[in-house]
Amino acid sequence: MAESQKPATLGARISTAISSAADEMRASANPESSKAADAAAKTSGGRRPRRARLRLTRIDPWSVMKTAFLLSVAFGIVTVVAVTIVWGVLGMAGIWDSVNQMVETVIGEDSSTFDVQDYLGMSRVLGFTMLVAVIDVVLLTAMATLGAFLYNMAAALLGGIELTLAEDER
């Protein structure tokens, strides 16, 4: 196949369609101003960035669910790692010994068997953090998917969100 007969790539076809649609919209909206702007762009030697107005009318709930699930799993992992680091730093800083001494001072000599680690040990805190992380994964995934369904229903009634895309000037 000759070089000039190769089919254009999808990106090139989309770019061409967007630019021609944008040019048609500009020309139909105000033919005099678009001609003046084109003349100004030609005389200044620069090229105006192409613009296209699009409308977001549907969001695929399945892709939203997959993306929200992966992001919420990452958020859960970050939460567990952060709690582990904070708990380790607090232990190395001697916070738990200070809390034990303070409780002994406040309550008296009878509390010599009190140890805050028995109630707030690393294993208990990490177990609770993992439970909260799993619940967050389920809730965030469900809320994002529900949000996509609600957006689709609202967009069907109202027409969606209008976007204006512009090409960068280079």
Side-chain angles (χ1 to χ4, degrees), residues 31-122:
E32 296 167 0
S33 67
S34 72
K35 289 178 184 176
D38 288 339
K42 287 178 184 176
T43 58
S44 66
R47 195 179 106 216
R48 289 187 319 154
R50 294 183 291 186
R51 295 183 181 268
R53 290 181 58 178
L54 303 172
R55 188 179 307 248
L56 181 60
T57 58
R58 187 176 183 317
I59 298 175
D60 184 32
W62 178 248
S63 65
V64 169
M65 186 180 80
K66 291 186 294 186
T67 304
F69 176 74
L70 288 177
L71 291 176
S72 60
V73 165
F75 178 70
I77 291 170
V78 166
T79 303
V80 170
V81 169
V83 167
T84 304
I85 290 172
V86 167
W87 219 250
V89 168
L90 290 176
M92 284 189 268
I95 296 295
W96 309 129
D97 295 331
S98 299
V99 169
N100 288 335
Q101 288 175 357
M102 183 181 69
V103 169
E104 186 177 324
T105 303
V106 170
I107 295 179
E109 297 298 322
D110 297 334
S111 65
S112 62
T113 61
F114 177 79
D115 187 15
V116 73
Q117 292 284 350
D118 292 340
Y119 302 101
L120 296 175
M122 178 79 105

Side-chain angles (χ1 to χ4, degrees), residues 91-164:
M92 284 189 268
I95 296 295
W96 309 129
D97 295 331
S98 299
V99 169
N100 288 335
Q101 288 175 357
M102 183 181 69
V103 169
E104 186 177 324
T105 303
V106 170
I107 295 179
E109 297 298 322
D110 297 334
S111 65
S112 62
T113 61
F114 177 79
D115 187 15
V116 73
Q117 292 284 350
D118 292 340
Y119 302 101
L120 296 175
M122 178 79 105
S123 61
R124 282 190 180 191
V125 170
L126 282 181
F128 180 73
T129 303
M130 287 183 197
L131 178 67
V132 168
V134 168
I135 291 170
D136 278 348
V137 166
V138 171
L139 287 178
L140 289 175
T141 303
M143 286 179 11
T145 306
L146 180 64
F149 278 114
L150 291 175
Y151 178 81
N152 289 340
M153 288 192 303
L157 291 173
L158 303 174
I161 295 175
E162 282 192 22
L163 304 170
T164 301

